[in-house]
Amino acid sequence: MNKTSVALLYGGRSGEHEVSLRSAASVYKHIDREKYYIHLIGISRQGTWYLQNAPSTADEVLSIEEDAQMMISVVPGQGLSSHTGPISVDVVLPILHGTFGEDGTLQGLLEIAGLPYVGADVGASYLSMDKDITKIIWMHHNLPVVPFRSIRKNQTEAVGFTWNALLEDLKKEFSLPLFIKPSQCGSSVGVSRVEKDEAFQAAMEKALKYDRKVLIEPAVNAREVECSVVGNDTPRAFPPGELEPSHEFYDYDAKYVDPDGASLVIPAVLSETEALEVRTIAEKAYAVLGCSGMARVDFFMDRNNGNLYLNEINTIPGFTSISMFPLMCESGGLAYTELLDELISLALSKYKSRSALSFTIK
């Protein structure tokens, strides 16, 4: 049997570099090497691509050896190449979280190179990464979201701007506490919960370190429910799970640093009706953004009235051994190894369908 050649990308320039190293190690451990030949490609924090030697499947974190002799080039229309020549790749499996991984930039590069890849395309990746635009699209399709405002950096630099005036304006619309987050960062990078007026400016300045647009939302006394979705034109959602953070909220440390940062409840303790609602909304939220391959859709469920709100969508969710995405898929009957098989199949199907389109006028 001829093996499918898979380029597994990991690392990258984002603040989630370390998470990617863990996710990729788990993918490498679970992928069926009887079916696939794996090219491991580590991307340094500076953005340079390097071909890697095969690690042990017992490794919990993949390393990146920055050997100049192993540098990889992406060649427009011709795929990947090393100093010894072209690298045969049937499909790319990007396990790159956050900026330069799931924001459409990588996807555009792979499109130009003519390479099939797992996950959302350029447009869906960008839309899903920008929380402000995501919510606007969801609202347009009558999907439930928490009220929000977005503030751009240039607004804070305008003549006459003051932080106090902005806060007072926001308080007319929302009450404290507020959540302040960069619009285009993942994994709670740069996110703050503001309980008091005096913490507002520092929280805004922190968020603006990571993005030029900031999302501001009122805090909701909520359960954090998540749902895995897999598919192209006909997405299917899996039984939802629930996070029970031990921190004030599910911040970066709770996700990746503190081993006791949160308890994972899979499946979530929901009624049959509630679980069906989560899955139905997750599929719609995924579809209206034009997602393909996979995503994890995150919800808030208001503890006071049971109302369900979409929070965000992650088009390259965590793939570590304790990540919610693969665990929820497994809960729904799709084991980790079979999940990878399906994602690769969906990527090749999407590429075949797109390749059948005409891009020239004849």
Side-chain angles (χ1 to χ4, degrees):
M1 180 180 72
N2 291 330
K3 294 184 180 182
T4 299
S5 178
V6 178
L8 175 59
L9 301 185
Y10 67 96
R13 294 170 59 190
S14 85
E16 298 171 77
H17 180 96
E18 295 293 340
V19 184
S20 175
L21 304 186
R22 292 188 178 94
S23 285
S26 187
V27 168
Y28 185 76
K29 178 179 180 179
H30 287 91
I31 199 166
D32 187 348
R33 277 181 293 281
E34 293 297 316
K35 294 181 180 178
Y36 308 108
Y37 179 80
I38 310 301
H39 297 283
L40 278 176
I41 299 176
I43 303 177
S44 73
R45 292 184 184 276
Q46 291 71 43
T48 307
W49 296 26
Y50 298 94
L51 192 63
Q52 304 294 306
N53 294 317
S56 165
T57 55
D59 291 346
E60 293 296 322
V61 179
L62 292 188
S63 61
I64 297 178
E65 183 69 26
E66 299 183 26
D67 182 350
Q69 294 297 311
M70 303 294 278
M71 285 176 57
I72 298 292
S73 299
V74 184
V75 184
Q78 298 182 36
L80 304 181
S81 183
S82 70
H83 74 286
T84 60
I87 299 173
S88 176
V89 172
D90 295 313
V91 63
V92 176
L93 176 52
I95 305 297
L96 293 159
H97 311 303
T99 312
F100 306 114
E102 57 182 313
D103 59 0
T105 52
L106 172 70
Q107 289 71 22
L109 180 63
L110 297 175
E111 292 276 359
I112 293 297
L115 290 167
Y117 56 91
V118 169
D121 65 15
V122 179
S125 296
Y126 174 77
L127 295 174
S128 299
M129 186 71 175
D130 191 318
K131 299 175 180 68
D132 176 41
I133 296 176
T134 296
K135 287 175 180 286
I136 291 170
I137 293 172
W138 283 341
M139 288 173 64
H140 177 76
H141 288 274
N142 298 312
L143 294 171
V145 300
V146 176
F148 68 99
R149 286 266 302 273
S150 61
I151 302 295
R152 295 180 180 272
K153 185 175 179 63
N154 68 297
Q155 292 175 263
T156 70
E157 296 170 337
V159 175
F161 171 83
T162 67
W163 292 109
N164 285 339
L166 174 59
L167 177 58
E168 290 306 313
D169 184 43
L170 288 167
K171 286 165 65 176
K172 292 175 184 177
E173 187 173 357
F174 309 135
S175 58
L176 295 178
L178 298 173
F179 271 104
I180 294 175
K181 58 187 76 172
S183 190
Q184 296 190 70
C185 283
S187 287
S188 302
V189 172
V191 176
S192 300
R193 178 184 170 100
V194 173
E195 302 272 358
K196 299 179 180 179
D197 290 8
E198 51 267 31
F200 176 71
Q201 180 177 343
M204 289 291 295
E205 290 175 341
K206 175 183 175 181
L208 286 166
K209 285 173 56 181
Y210 298 97
D211 192 14
R212 293 184 61 83
K213 182 168 61 172
V214 174
L215 198 75
I216 303 167
E217 302 168 319
V220 178
N221 179 24
R223 297 167 62 184
E224 298 193 41
V225 176
E226 302 186 345
C227 189
S228 295
V229 182
V230 171
N232 289 343
D233 296 331
T234 55
R236 76 184 190 278
F238 290 81
E242 182 173 358
L243 290 163
E244 295 182 347
S246 59
H247 293 215
E248 184 178 36
F249 66 96
Y250 197 45
D251 60 4
Y252 186 91
D253 285 347
K255 289 181 181 180
Y256 304 119
V257 178
D258 182 357
D260 300 315
S263 298
L264 310 180
V265 181
I266 304 173
V269 181
L270 301 170
S271 70
E272 186 175 329
T273 300
E274 289 169 335
L276 178 60
E277 183 183 15
V278 169
R279 295 173 73 167
T280 300
I281 293 176
E283 289 174 353
K284 290 180 180 177
Y286 181 99
V288 300
L289 291 168
C291 290
S292 53
M294 61 181 171
R296 192 193 71 237
V297 183
D298 299 348
F299 294 83
F300 292 136
M301 178 173 278
D302 195 315
R303 295 180 186 276
N304 300 325
N305 54 28
N307 287 345
L308 195 63
Y309 301 100
L310 285 161
N311 178 28
E312 62 183 57
I313 185 169
N314 293 270
T315 54
I316 304 183
F319 269 88
T320 72
S321 59
I322 60 168
S323 291
M324 290 286 277
F325 179 78
L327 290 175
M328 288 186 289
C329 289
E330 186 169 5
S331 173
L334 187 61
Y336 200 132
T337 299
E338 287 68 42
L339 167 62
L340 296 174
D341 288 343
E342 181 157 348
L343 293 177
I344 290 169
S345 176
L346 287 166
L348 293 171
S349 175
K350 180 181 66 173
Y351 181 77
K352 181 179 179 180
S353 176
R354 180 168 169 77
S355 297
L357 297 174
S358 177
F359 297 101
T360 59
I361 299 175
K362 296 181 180 180

